[in-house]
């Protein structure tokens, strides 16, 4: 029986690549999107074409009530997840002196609030079913180092790191691993407007990373080979700020 993994924010970008990579390695996938159900359906078709099962959950991860309802109902109908990839996130960049309340709240509530809103309803069922599962969160190099114009984003991603480390201690005796992947500058929708040539000069490898390179690490952390790795933050950054 195939193991099932929930990947939030999996209709595009890094989340999409993670979902496809995991499916190609034998996992069934629970896709998630907030608005773009059409793109999620395209990913679902690709997964099914690869011979794995996929279904879609649609909710806003910053809405606690709807997140709880969607996840609790899905687990009740389809069973407990083996793994969760907490990928959904947004950026609302602005320099702090003129950052609006909305820019702050939306980023914190989405990126950090989703840690509680998504993981709270899924962890107890994992414990009750004695699933030696896997949780992988997505932080960022901005959460490790900070970044100009991203005080809100850096705060949310640094919070993810702290929460991941603490949760890993609580779940270790249950055999559930909790790790964090912190991408550097990755070719995706979130970086498409960056001055590429200037950015590459800052990266020791002189190139941007790919979504597949992030996905392959997530896949490893989901595997049996990674069963003794927990509480770790692993960067995929081409040597940037290492």
């Amino acid at each position: 029986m195939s193991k099932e993994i929930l990947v939030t924010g999996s209709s595009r970008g890094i989340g999409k690549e993670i979902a496809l990579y995991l499916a190609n390695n034998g996992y069934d996938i629970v896709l998630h999107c907030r608005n773009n159900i059409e793109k999620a359906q395209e990913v679902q078709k690709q997964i099914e074409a690869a011979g794995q099962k996929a279904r879609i959950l649609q909710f806003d991860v910053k809405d606690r009530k709807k997140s709880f309802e969607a996840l609790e109902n899905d687990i009740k109908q389809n069973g407990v997840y083996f793994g969760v990839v907490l990928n959904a996130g947004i950026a609302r960049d602005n320099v702090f002196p003129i950052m609006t309340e909305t820019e702050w709240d939306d980023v914190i509530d989405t990126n950090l609030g989703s840690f509680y809103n998504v993981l709270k309803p899924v962890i107890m069922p994992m414990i009750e079913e004695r699933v030696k599962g896997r949780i992988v969160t997505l932080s960022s190099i901005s959460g490790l180092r900070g970044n100009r114009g991203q005080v809100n984003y850096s705060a949310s991603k640094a919070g993810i790191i702290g929460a991941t480390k603490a949760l890993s201690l609580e779940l270790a005796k249950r055999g559930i691993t909790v790790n964090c992947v912190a991408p550097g500058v990755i070719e995706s929708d979130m970086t498409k407007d960056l001055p590429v040539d200037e950015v590459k000069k800052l990266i020791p490898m002189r190139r941007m990373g790919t979504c597949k390179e992030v996905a392959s690490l997530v896949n490893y952390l989901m595997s049996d080979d990674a069963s003794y790795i927990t509480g770790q933050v692993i960067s995929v950054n081409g040597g940037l700020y290492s």
Side-chain angles (χ1 to χ4, degrees):
M1 182 177 180
S2 181
K3 296 175 179 177
E4 192 169 72
I5 298 174
L6 166 69
V7 184
T8 66
S10 45
S11 64
R12 62 189 180 93
I14 291 175
K16 172 184 176 179
E17 190 64 42
I18 290 172
L20 292 173
Y21 201 104
L22 291 171
N24 285 328
N25 281 273
Y27 297 98
D28 290 334
I29 305 297
V30 181
L31 297 163
H32 160 264
C33 67
R34 180 181 60 177
N35 294 319
N36 207 327
I37 189 71
E38 292 83 7
K39 285 191 175 182
Q41 289 170 337
E42 291 175 7
V43 181
Q44 181 183 26
K45 290 177 182 177
Q46 289 179 263
I47 291 171
E48 290 172 345
Q52 298 301 132
K53 296 177 182 178
R55 62 181 180 277
I56 301 169
L57 301 182
Q58 185 174 13
F59 59 90
D60 188 342
V61 294
K62 75 176 181 179
D63 187 321
R64 182 165 300 158
K65 185 174 184 291
K66 290 184 179 178
S67 297
F68 274 38
E69 286 177 352
L71 292 165
E72 288 171 351
N73 288 338
D74 188 58
I75 290 171
K76 185 177 181 180
Q77 293 174 20
N78 298 290
V80 179
Y81 309 136
F82 166 74
V84 180
V85 182
L86 199 68
N87 167 77
I90 62 170
R92 298 286 184 268
D93 296 351
N94 206 346
V95 292
F96 190 72
I98 60 173
M99 183 175 289
T100 67
E101 292 181 7
T102 299
E103 288 169 338
W104 176 269
D105 290 342
D106 281 353
V107 171
I108 297 296
D109 291 348
T110 299
N111 297 359
L112 185 55
S114 63
F115 188 96
Y116 185 90
N117 297 345
V118 173
L119 294 182
K120 182 63 166 61
V122 307
I123 285 176
M124 188 55 74
M126 291 172 72
I127 292 172
E128 291 173 344
E129 294 293 326
R130 301 182 184 276
V131 175
K132 295 185 184 300
R134 304 281 188 268
I135 295 169
V136 178
T137 64
L138 271 288
S139 180
S140 166
I141 198 166
S142 295
L144 291 168
R145 295 275 305 193
N147 194 30
R148 185 181 293 106
Q150 288 194 322
V151 174
N152 51 358
Y153 188 77
S154 295
S156 70
K157 292 301 188 177
I160 286 288
I161 290 172
T164 298
K165 286 178 173 290
L167 185 60
S168 73
L169 300 177
E170 294 183 5
L171 298 182
K173 66 182 178 181
R174 308 285 185 178
I176 301 171
T177 67
V178 190
N179 291 291
C180 183
V181 174
V185 186
I186 306 297
E187 294 179 19
S188 68
D189 293 344
M190 291 187 75
T191 58
K192 64 183 179 181
D193 296 325
L194 292 178
V196 175
D197 291 338
E198 292 302 311
V199 169
K200 286 180 180 178
K201 293 177 183 178
L202 300 174
I203 303 171
M205 282 193 172
R206 294 296 188 267
R207 69 173 178 86
M208 297 170 69
T210 67
C211 293
K212 185 176 181 180
E213 288 170 319
V214 178
S216 66
L217 175 57
V218 174
N219 180 69
Y220 171 70
L221 292 172
M222 288 287 168
S223 72
D224 291 341
D225 290 341
S227 61
Y228 201 56
I229 299 173
T230 197
Q232 302 305 302
V233 181
I234 307 174
S235 286
V236 184
N237 61 24
L240 182 63
Y241 303 138
S242 292

